[in-house]
Amino acid sequence: MSIKNYFSKLIFTAKISNSPKSWISFIINSKRFSSKFKKGNLNLKNNETFVYHNKISGEKFDLYLRTFKGDIDIFYEVFWKKTYFDHLKFLKDDPKIIVDLGAHIGMTSIYLSLRFPEAKIYAVEASLDNFELLLKNTSSFKNIVCINAAAYFEDGFVNFSNDDLSYNQRISETGVSTKAISIGSLKENFGLTNIDLMKIDIEGGEIDLLSKNNSWLSSVNSIIIEIHHPYSLADLQNDVQPYGFTITHNEDSVLSAIKN
């Protein structure tokens, strides 16, 4: 990390920490994680978790982050790097219904809740370990509904791996049997006729989700998606263009698709 970025993180965490203890914990635990990550000796079974007291956009809330599972990296990605900031500029109107597929421990759902406080957000996460923290982290955000399931092209069960960093877990041939939910069933269960914004980050699961049984795309207005190899920009265009979407922004494999 450059000196400039290091001091930028120091200033950022100082601004958003609601107590000196939280700020110091952010700095120390960020270093502890990055040091072990660079050396390749992370113990992924170490679930050490700290509670960080924050104040962002005038809202006070607590975040439960595991030191050695990558949670802190995701926090920085969403709130410090503002991964979704430029993508949201392409929205035509403030979204009222948001679906967050691959909600992880809630960082994006919280970011979107702070940005669009009038929106109802449905946060879908397959990993039970992640889901338990998702519930804790979003507990003070009454507009976020949490759903423990894997977003998939059909209802049923899938195997979900849990032997990697918390944000890299995915549908696989082996793993924990996990409930799978189609977008059609998600809409029916919660009475959704239209989805204003869908964020997708499901570690390769987008291949099946967007190419099979995908008529639900007709009820979605905007998509922000992180794509994973071998799924490509061309694949995304082939899947969503028939439903009137245009790719409007592409940055570091995170793309925006907005309906014409």
Side-chain angles (χ1 to χ4, degrees), residues 162-179:
N162 61 357
D163 56 354
D164 208 331
L165 286 167
S166 65
Y167 54 79
N168 281 339
Q169 297 173 7
R170 67 194 67 202
I171 294 172
S172 62
E173 293 183 359
T174 61
V176 178
S177 181
T178 302
K179 178 183 177 181

Side-chain angles (χ1 to χ4, degrees), residues 51-211:
V51 184
Y52 301 88
H53 308 291
N54 306 282
K55 185 176 181 180
I56 302 177
S57 300
E59 295 289 333
K60 294 181 180 180
F61 57 94
D62 293 339
L63 289 180
Y64 293 76
L65 305 178
R66 294 161 295 191
T67 304
F68 301 110
K69 300 296 284 285
D71 296 355
I72 295 174
D73 266 5
I74 298 302
F75 169 80
Y76 282 129
E77 181 178 301
V78 174
F79 287 99
W80 174 65
K81 289 179 66 177
K82 296 184 178 180
T83 295
Y84 300 107
F85 182 82
D86 286 339
H87 294 274
L88 295 175
K89 293 178 181 178
F90 292 92
L91 299 182
K92 297 176 182 177
D93 301 293
D94 285 358
K96 300 300 181 184
I97 299 295
I98 299 173
V99 173
D100 181 359
L101 302 181
H104 190 236
I105 61 169
M107 297 302 97
T108 301
S109 289
I110 292 171
Y111 178 81
L112 292 172
S113 177
L114 293 170
R115 180 76 182 269
F116 306 111
E118 300 302 316
K120 191 76 171 181
I121 300 171
Y122 298 88
V124 183
E125 172 55 37
S127 163
L128 183 57
D129 288 343
N130 289 344
F131 183 75
E132 289 174 350
L133 289 188
L134 172 64
L135 286 174
K136 289 182 178 180
N137 288 333
T138 61
S139 61
S140 60
F141 295 86
K142 303 309 178 186
N143 63 334
I144 298 177
V145 178
C146 300
I147 301 122
N148 184 204
Y152 202 47
F153 73 95
E154 63 182 357
D155 298 325
F157 288 86
V158 294
N159 292 323
F160 201 79
S161 69
N162 61 357
D163 56 354
D164 208 331
L165 286 167
S166 65
Y167 54 79
N168 281 339
Q169 297 173 7
R170 67 194 67 202
I171 294 172
S172 62
E173 293 183 359
T174 61
V176 178
S177 181
T178 302
K179 178 183 177 181
I181 188 169
S182 66
I183 305 304
S185 291
L186 179 70
K187 289 174 58 186
E188 182 178 351
N189 292 349
F190 293 96
L192 307 179
T193 57
N194 192 69
I195 298 170
D196 298 309
L197 172 62
M198 177 177 284
K199 168 258 177 180
I200 305 173
D201 185 1
I202 52 176
E203 302 301 318
E206 66 269 17
I207 296 173
D208 287 332
L209 180 73
L210 294 176
S211 66

Side-chain angles (χ1 to χ4, degrees), residues 20-44:
K21 181 179 179 181
S22 284
W23 181 49
I24 294 169
S25 296
F26 260 125
I27 301 306
I28 292 175
N29 290 334
S30 296
K31 182 63 177 178
R32 292 172 67 210
F33 170 76
S34 62
S35 177
K36 287 185 175 293
F37 182 80
K38 290 175 182 177
K39 294 176 182 177
N41 61 356
L42 280 173
N43 178 5
L44 296 177

